[in-house]
Amino acid sequence: MPAPPQALCGVVVSAGRMMKAVKVRTVKQVYDSFLQKHYTVYQSHLVSDPNSSLRTGDVVRIAARPPASKHIRHVVTDIIAPWGPPAAARPPIPSLEDLDAQYRAKREARVARRSQRAEEPKADRAGAQDVEKGPSLKERHTDVIGGVEVPGGEERVVLERNKGDL
């Protein structure tokens, strides 16, 4: 049985600047054995907000999930205390089961497309047209002038340097 996702509570500090993502600041107490004191450590997490229903100042609960992108590794599970409009007036937050179902559906569709593409012959992908290849780019744009191969296909004058001009 897999372990339950780690749930954290935090405050939304940045919302509306990224599509479907917000920044949530979480707080934890750390004990320093040398100072023999507890002190507060803040951590910021980029959190997936699929329906863009969060506002700056909301207190939310987030859970660790498989990475949605390079930096987004958490998802919003619910709004504890909304700031501004009430939570009922905002788009609903999908449950973890709904998110898993969406992920599985996208994954199955992607696997089906890949298997279908692997089954079709390569000639069908290219448009089934046989294209005759002419001379390569290097062959077309290379001339031989005075026994020396000169790129560009145009006549070039090679000036000899005088010993006095350095």
Side-chain angles (χ1 to χ4, degrees):
M1 184 163 124
Q6 180 185 6
L8 300 169
C9 291
V11 178
V12 178
V13 293
S14 175
R17 294 184 182 186
M18 298 170 279
M19 291 178 57
K20 299 183 179 182
V22 296
K23 186 186 281 189
V24 175
R25 179 170 293 147
T26 58
V27 179
K28 74 177 179 181
Q29 292 283 322
V30 176
Y31 182 74
D32 189 338
S33 60
F34 181 75
L35 297 175
Q36 296 184 356
K37 282 193 159 193
H38 285 88
Y39 61 95
T40 305
V41 174
Y42 296 98
Q43 257 188 329
S44 292
H45 301 278
L46 284 181
V47 179
S48 176
D49 179 20
N51 294 339
S52 298
S53 56
L54 298 179
R55 307 289 181 264
T56 302
D58 290 345
V59 178
V60 295
R61 182 172 290 120
I62 61 175
R65 303 293 295 156
S69 71
K70 184 177 179 181
H71 299 288
I72 298 176
R73 302 188 185 291
H74 292 81
V75 67
V76 176
T77 56
D78 62 335
I79 300 174
I80 297 171
W83 182 266
R90 301 179 189 182
I93 295 175
S95 67
L96 296 178
E97 291 81 20
D98 293 341
L99 293 173
D100 287 340
Q102 288 175 359
Y103 173 77
R104 274 191 246 109
K106 281 185 180 180
R107 176 74 180 154
E108 289 170 2
R110 182 174 35 215
V111 168
R113 283 193 310 270
R114 285 185 180 177
S115 62
Q116 181 184 9
R117 185 165 171 90
E119 291 171 2
E120 69 183 30
K122 289 184 179 180
D124 290 348
R125 286 189 231 158
Q129 298 175 359
D130 293 330
V131 179
E132 285 189 31
K133 292 187 175 181
S136 69
L137 197 65
K138 187 174 182 179
E139 292 170 353
R140 285 186 281 165
H141 294 291
T142 304
D143 287 341
V144 177
I145 300 175
V148 178
E149 200 171 285
V150 179
E154 56 197 41
E155 293 182 23
R156 296 181 184 214
V157 178
V158 179
L159 301 175
E160 294 182 15
R161 263 198 251 186
N162 294 332
K163 291 184 179 178
D165 298 337
L166 291 177

